[in-house]
Amino acid sequence: MRYIGVDIGGMSIKAGITDENGHIFAKKTVVTQARKPSEEIVGDIERLIRGLLEEQGLSLADICGIGLGSPGSVNDAEGVVRYCCNINFADTPVVGILKKNLGFENIRISNDANCAALAETLFGAGNGASNSVTVTLGTGLGTGIVADGRLITGNKSAGAEGGHIQIGIGGAMCGCGKRGHYEAYASASALLRQTETAMKKHPESLLNKVAAEQGFDGKTVFIAAKMGDKVAKRVLDRYIKYIGMGLVSLANLLYPEVFIIGGGISKEGDTLIKPLQEYVARNIYGAEFNPPIRVVAATLGNDAGIIGAAALTMKD
Amino acid sequence: MRYIGVDIGGMSIKAGITDENGHIFAKKTVVTQARKPSEEIVGDIERLIRGLLEEQGLSLADICGIGLGSPGSVNDAEGVVRYCCNINFADTPVVGILKKNLGFENIRISNDANCAALAETLFGAGNGASNSVTVTLGTGLGTGIVADGRLITGNKSAGAEGGHIQIGIGGAMCGCGKRGHYEAYASASALLRQTETAMKKHPESLLNKVAAEQGFDGKTVFIAAKMGDKVAKRVLDRYIKYIGMGLVSLANLLYPEVFIIGGGISKEGDTLIKPLQEYVARNIYGAEFNPPIRVVAATLGNDAGIIGAAALTMKD
């Protein structure tokens, strides 16, 4: 069985042919002409798909489904990109146009983060789980929910915004203008803020030395903590607790088999993952009689977008 | 199309025959012999179903599906009641036994609260919504999640425990032993505690007079607030804000079309529902571009259990 996944990005559009196990055996990329009219961008996607098939000596008749991952707000059921800040998509019926132009019926679309979550769940760190929550720690905090093997995105796909669940009454200000949201405590940006605050308060800490020597970024606190700096360890312990608190809320509500942690910080591996695993095990509701929940780091990297887009069409 | 729904309770087991619109046209009840061995209780259910069919001049061949709602922790996929504090069910494969004894294949089970949520969503206050969250305010705070027309219950059905999402860091103690959970702020019991605290602090308030004259319960604060008591109004405003905070977290994550509020307090109607509706509209993520979310009171009352159990078998 062969599927096509298309990962639409602000810089490039990548298409890949996969099998039913999420293995990519051919890829093709074009530059995104983000300011073109939306119909023309969809035209570029169509040519990319046709070109990829041609290179592989295949035709659309060899393909079971075509999936698309787009940034921005996507209405999955209607196949429409509602808006997208870095590509000229606004209420663009991407799926409808492609179906018509390709003369191909099984085409689906979802938000790119949802695609990545589906890919990791089925073919990456999730190892084929049916129920997962993927939490991506970046500038914001993104979540992708899979329940019974299907993406859960809410009415008009307006949901799965787990960065905006409450974890504190009042508390830290979120990018969305409300206080106390998960993202305001547990995104990579939040860790940077927490680290900076500690550096100002403790100028004697190794944090400042590491930042001065290696540049200040999300790794600073991990490096200083590994060197034994107590201030860095405190920042990190508290940050991990914040991530954990959100995971516990998500667990009690959605009870996944696995939490998949993505974003640059997830590359810190066991330093992050092990204490998170312990926090979740200790704090979930009914820990004594409910099944354990794994916490793992994402593994698919940049291919997750293509694989997840393809996977959108693998289940009815 | 005819379906059977069975609502298993600690006091009685109620079975009903419904059509595909959730209309009940015949019911039959037996007393629950909760301390009998579990196989015998399942035998009682079998006899109840056969008796109900016989009374209606029907046979199993006339029935499309049989659904069961059970209290306690139910593993929906495996058809097993894992434990139940008030009936002698422990790891009882209720569905398997019934399938064998009735010689009937399409039998399903879920937790009784999930059944009620499904019934309200499809045939009650939800008015046929595909995505809903039902929040029942009682001794605890229960949630039932419907996404794309299906109950979402998590791995081994251990989820949908929305009473145990975090809304405050630290904060009020929950019945489960953790702090800051939604249930600790927004259950009917939490309202009683909040009212009591206000009564002690403000012995002059109408709250104390109403409680002395009419007895103290969940209605006390509503009655005093309607009489113009400022202390009662403050308690109520804060309580509604607590309920709203949880709804907003649930909305940002699951983005339902409708929140269905159940439990005795939901009978207060607009006093409760209107400000909740406003709170949700004001505080959900992306309120300016996402679809509105309705907040409504549950309408089906005691029949929700039978109707929702039947509905378990209406969709593949």
Side-chain angles (χ1 to χ4, degrees):
Chain A
M1 309 268 266
R2 280 159 178 162
Y3 300 86
I4 289 179
V6 182
D7 183 7
I8 307 167
M11 305 298 289
S12 67
I13 304 174
K14 293 176 277 185
I17 302 178
T18 79
D19 63 16
E20 70 275 21
N21 300 314
H23 174 72
I24 299 176
F25 59 88
K27 273 198 253 190
K28 193 174 172 69
T29 300
V30 292
V31 171
T32 309
Q33 309 225 358
R35 293 297 132 217
K36 269 189 179 177
S38 57
E39 287 261 353
E40 291 183 28
I41 300 174
V42 182
D44 289 344
I45 296 172
E46 183 195 340
R47 272 185 296 282
L48 178 65
I49 292 169
R50 289 195 190 276
L52 175 62
L53 286 169
E54 202 176 315
E55 280 176 16
Q56 298 300 313
L58 296 170
S59 78
L60 280 167
D62 300 309
I63 299 298
C64 299
I66 299 173
L68 309 157
S70 170
S73 170
V74 180
N75 183 331
D76 299 14
E78 294 174 18
V80 172
V81 180
R82 298 195 297 164
Y83 60 88
C84 173
C85 47
N86 47 13
I87 304 180
N88 195 16
F89 281 150
D91 290 318
T92 306
V94 177
V95 168
I97 301 172
L98 269 181
K99 278 186 180 179
K100 186 166 151 267
N101 293 358
L102 288 169
F104 188 90
E105 194 48 36
N106 188 17
I107 305 183
R108 303 216 176 177
I109 193 166
S110 194
N111 171 272
D112 49 7
N114 286 335
C115 290
L118 186 60
E120 289 287 355
T121 303
L122 298 176
F123 305 119
N127 205 15
S130 296
N131 298 280
S132 72
V133 181
T134 301
V135 175
T136 303
L137 309 171
T139 309
L141 184 154
T143 53
I145 305 165
V146 176
D148 301 322
R150 290 179 169 85
L151 280 170
I152 298 295
T153 64
N155 185 28
K156 316 267 185 210
S157 307
E161 293 288 357
H164 304 279
I165 61 170
Q166 188 84 23
I167 67 166
I169 289 183
M173 177 64 85
C174 184
C176 75
K178 305 287 178 195
R179 286 187 184 279
H181 285 182
Y182 191 22
E183 177 169 300
Y185 292 90
S187 62
S189 318
L191 176 61
L192 286 180
R193 283 196 302 275
Q194 292 156 17
T195 308
E196 265 185 322
T197 304
M199 284 164 68
K200 276 182 199 152
K201 205 170 156 192
H202 301 278
E204 79 295 353
S205 78
L206 266 178
L207 276 173
N208 290 279
K209 196 160 171 281
V210 171
E213 286 171 3
Q214 308 186 27
F216 174 65
D217 62 17
K219 288 180 202 145
T220 307
V221 67
F222 287 94
I223 296 168
K226 266 173 206 152
M227 291 165 76
D229 186 53
K230 279 185 188 164
V231 175
K233 278 187 179 167
R234 268 207 305 275
V235 171
L236 207 50
D237 285 350
R238 200 182 45 180
Y239 176 65
I240 288 170
K241 190 180 157 194
Y242 289 146
I243 304 174
M245 288 171 75
L247 295 186
V248 167
S249 279
L250 294 167
N252 293 346
L253 196 63
L254 297 164
Y255 219 95
E257 296 152 65
V258 59
F259 281 114
I260 301 166
I261 311 296
I265 286 177
S266 71
K267 297 198 177 69
E268 298 293 335
D270 275 356
T271 312
L272 183 76
I273 300 299
K274 263 198 159 173
L276 277 180
Q277 175 86 67
E278 284 161 18
Y279 187 91
V280 168
R282 214 166 44 239
N283 288 286
I284 46 173
Y285 179 70
E288 62 284 18
F289 45 77
N290 282 329
I293 300 179
R294 287 183 293 137
V295 182
V296 297
T299 57
L300 295 178
N302 289 333
D303 283 342
I306 289 175
I307 298 168
L312 291 175
T313 69
M314 292 183 193
K315 201 155 179 169
D316 64 336
Chain B
M1 308 269 265
R2 280 160 178 161
Y3 300 85
I4 290 179
V6 183
D7 183 6
I8 306 168
M11 304 297 288
S12 67
I13 304 175
K14 293 176 278 185
I17 302 178
T18 79
D19 62 17
E20 69 275 21
N21 300 313
H23 174 71
I24 299 176
F25 58 88
K27 273 199 252 190
K28 192 174 171 70
T29 301
V30 292
V31 171
T32 309
Q33 310 226 356
R35 293 296 133 215
K36 268 189 181 178
S38 58
E39 288 262 351
E40 291 184 28
I41 300 173
V42 182
D44 289 345
I45 295 171
E46 183 197 340
R47 271 185 297 282
L48 178 65
I49 291 169
R50 291 195 190 275
L52 175 62
L53 286 169
E54 201 175 317
E55 281 176 15
Q56 297 301 312
L58 296 169
S59 79
L60 281 166
D62 300 309
I63 299 298
C64 299
I66 299 172
L68 309 158
S70 170
S73 169
V74 179
N75 183 330
D76 299 14
E78 294 174 18
V80 172
V81 179
R82 298 195 299 165
Y83 60 89
C84 174
C85 49
N86 48 12
I87 303 179
N88 195 17
F89 281 150
D91 290 319
T92 305
V94 177
V95 169
I97 301 171
L98 269 181
K99 278 186 181 181
K100 188 165 149 266
N101 292 359
L102 288 170
F104 188 89
E105 194 48 37
N106 189 19
I107 305 182
R108 303 215 175 177
I109 193 167
S110 193
N111 170 274
D112 48 7
N114 286 335
C115 290
L118 186 60
E120 289 287 355
T121 303
L122 298 176
F123 305 118
N127 204 15
S130 295
N131 297 282
S132 72
V133 181
T134 301
V135 175
T136 303
L137 308 170
T139 309
L141 184 155
T143 55
I145 305 165
V146 176
D148 300 323
R150 290 180 169 84
L151 279 171
I152 298 294
T153 63
N155 185 29
K156 316 266 184 211
S157 309
E161 292 288 356
H164 304 280
I165 61 171
Q166 189 83 22
I167 66 165
I169 289 183
M173 178 64 86
C174 184
C176 75
K178 307 286 179 195
R179 286 187 184 278
H181 285 181
Y182 191 22
E183 177 168 303
Y185 292 91
S187 62
S189 317
L191 176 60
L192 286 181
R193 283 195 301 274
Q194 291 155 19
T195 308
E196 264 185 322
T197 304
M199 285 164 68
K200 276 181 199 152
K201 206 169 155 193
H202 301 278
E204 79 293 354
S205 78
L206 266 178
L207 277 173
N208 289 280
K209 197 160 171 278
V210 171
E213 286 171 4
Q214 307 186 29
F216 173 65
D217 62 17
K219 289 180 202 147
T220 306
V221 68
F222 287 94
I223 296 168
K226 266 173 207 153
M227 291 165 77
D229 186 52
K230 279 183 186 163
V231 175
K233 278 186 180 167
R234 268 206 306 275
V235 171
L236 206 51
D237 285 350
R238 200 183 47 182
Y239 175 65
I240 287 170
K241 190 179 159 197
Y242 289 146
I243 303 175
M245 289 172 75
L247 295 187
V248 167
S249 279
L250 294 166
N252 293 346
L253 196 63
L254 298 164
Y255 219 94
E257 296 153 65
V258 59
F259 281 115
I260 301 166
I261 311 296
I265 285 177
S266 71
K267 297 198 178 69
E268 298 294 334
D270 275 355
T271 312
L272 182 76
I273 300 299
K274 264 198 159 174
L276 278 178
Q277 175 87 64
E278 285 162 17
Y279 187 91
V280 168
R282 213 164 46 238
N283 289 285
I284 45 173
Y285 179 71
E288 63 282 19
F289 44 78
N290 281 329
I293 301 179
R294 285 183 296 137
V295 182
V296 297
T299 58
L300 294 177
N302 289 332
D303 283 342
I306 289 176
I307 297 168
L312 291 174
T313 70
M314 291 184 193
K315 202 157 178 171
D316 65 336

